[in-house]
Amino acid sequence: MAEAPELIPSFDGTPLALHRLGSGRPLLLLHGLFSSAHMNWVNWGQAQLLADAGFECLMPDLRAHGESGKPHDPAAYPADVLARDTIALVEALGLTEFDLCGFSLGARTSVRAVIRGLKPRRLVLGGMGLEGLAGWTGRGAFFIDAIDRFDEVKHGDPAFAAVSFMKTMKVDRVATRLLLQTFSDTDPADLAKITMPTLVVNGDQDRDNGSPDLLAEALPDATLVTVPGTHMSCVTKPDLGQAIRDFLLA
């Protein structure tokens, strides 16, 4: 995989860094909050596993993350900006037949993009439950508070893990805080628009974004799979990539 990503302008010109691995059926992989394509998909071997199975892994760094643009202008963060970025990326790449997979924030972004009209062949939602979509407002407020108290958070604080990960990833807190304000709750009724076969895959110790069972029940054509791990650790284990591979090849 090339070290330097491609920079693809989004709908407003903000550069989106795209990392590629493999060849074959296009598979768009969207990472989680405060993470990056490399941290979520490359470092633990998930992308390589999927590339070995015959997929071209297309892995953008989301806006305000990784090597993508991190504008500090509030105007660069309209509602549903990540879903709009995803649709713009699919259009720029000329994708017609492709699969879409997101983990945590990437799963939420995938849902919003499909509701806005994106039509992947198959969809994978990792690390996501119904409450992470329908009750995002409270979750978003938790992360904004973590950013605002960044230098005060100590061991034992509920925000400690989030702040520690932000420090590891050297996040741009100004850009990320603006990004968090672009999210809104998803009406569960809108999930009826997600008609393609969908995999809901979660760690057996992961309820960070609510109930995956309830999410699977709310989707028209969902398969629920549980893999080992917490919200943070399941991405480090091959079981996650194997579950994604097996579903997409079924």
Side-chain angles (χ1 to χ4, degrees):
M1 185 171 60
E3 290 186 9
E6 299 171 50
L7 294 178
I8 297 176
S10 189
F11 65 93
D12 64 345
T14 297
L16 302 177
L18 179 70
H19 309 264
R20 296 178 185 252
L21 183 65
S23 60
R25 182 190 299 165
L27 170 58
L28 194 59
L29 294 165
L30 306 184
H31 64 75
L33 182 64
F34 307 139
S35 193
S36 67
H38 270 269
M39 176 59 79
N40 213 142
W41 302 116
V42 177
N43 289 0
W44 310 108
Q46 310 290 0
Q48 188 63 59
L49 185 154
L50 292 162
D52 290 345
F55 292 95
E56 180 185 17
C57 297
L58 303 167
M59 301 171 284
D61 289 328
L62 301 178
R63 181 180 297 237
H65 292 77
E67 297 177 75
S68 286
K70 303 173 183 66
H72 286 190
D73 181 356
Y77 297 91
D80 258 356
V81 66
L82 294 185
R84 293 179 65 181
D85 282 343
T86 302
I87 293 169
L89 186 62
V90 168
E91 291 174 350
L93 294 173
L95 300 181
T96 52
E97 287 283 323
F98 66 98
D99 296 315
L100 175 61
C101 170
F103 184 82
S104 196
L105 175 60
R108 187 188 183 285
T109 299
S110 298
V111 166
R112 301 298 303 177
V114 171
I115 288 172
R116 292 180 73 98
L118 200 65
K119 291 181 168 57
R121 188 190 68 95
R122 286 192 165 218
L123 177 65
V124 178
L125 304 176
M128 185 52 62
L130 183 62
E131 296 86 344
L133 298 170
W136 171 261
T137 303
R139 187 91 169 124
F142 170 83
F143 291 121
I144 290 172
D145 173 69
I147 290 171
D148 290 345
R149 297 190 301 111
F150 189 83
D151 294 320
E152 308 161 20
V153 173
K154 308 295 184 191
H155 264 293
D157 191 300
F160 182 76
V163 169
S164 296
F165 190 53
M166 281 190 266
K167 289 178 179 177
T168 296
M169 297 303 296
K170 299 179 172 59
V171 301
D172 183 320
R173 284 179 279 157
V174 173
T176 307
R177 194 183 192 285
L178 288 167
L179 179 67
L180 284 164
Q181 296 175 72
T182 69
F183 308 148
S184 59
D185 292 344
T186 298
D187 186 339
D190 282 340
L191 298 179
K193 298 175 183 176
I194 302 176
T195 56
M196 68 285 300
T198 302
L199 172 67
V200 176
V201 56
N202 255 60
D204 57 3
Q205 301 171 61
D206 177 12
R207 293 297 179 272
D208 283 25
N209 282 311
S211 169
D213 304 75
L214 292 177
L215 176 56
E217 289 173 12
L219 294 166
D221 185 6
T223 300
L224 177 64
V225 172
T226 300
V227 296
T230 64
H231 193 71
M232 294 296 285
S233 71
C234 70
V235 300
T236 70
K237 304 174 188 293
D239 308 74
L240 178 65
Q242 291 163 0
I244 295 168
R245 175 198 65 195
D246 294 348
F247 173 75
L248 295 179
L249 291 178

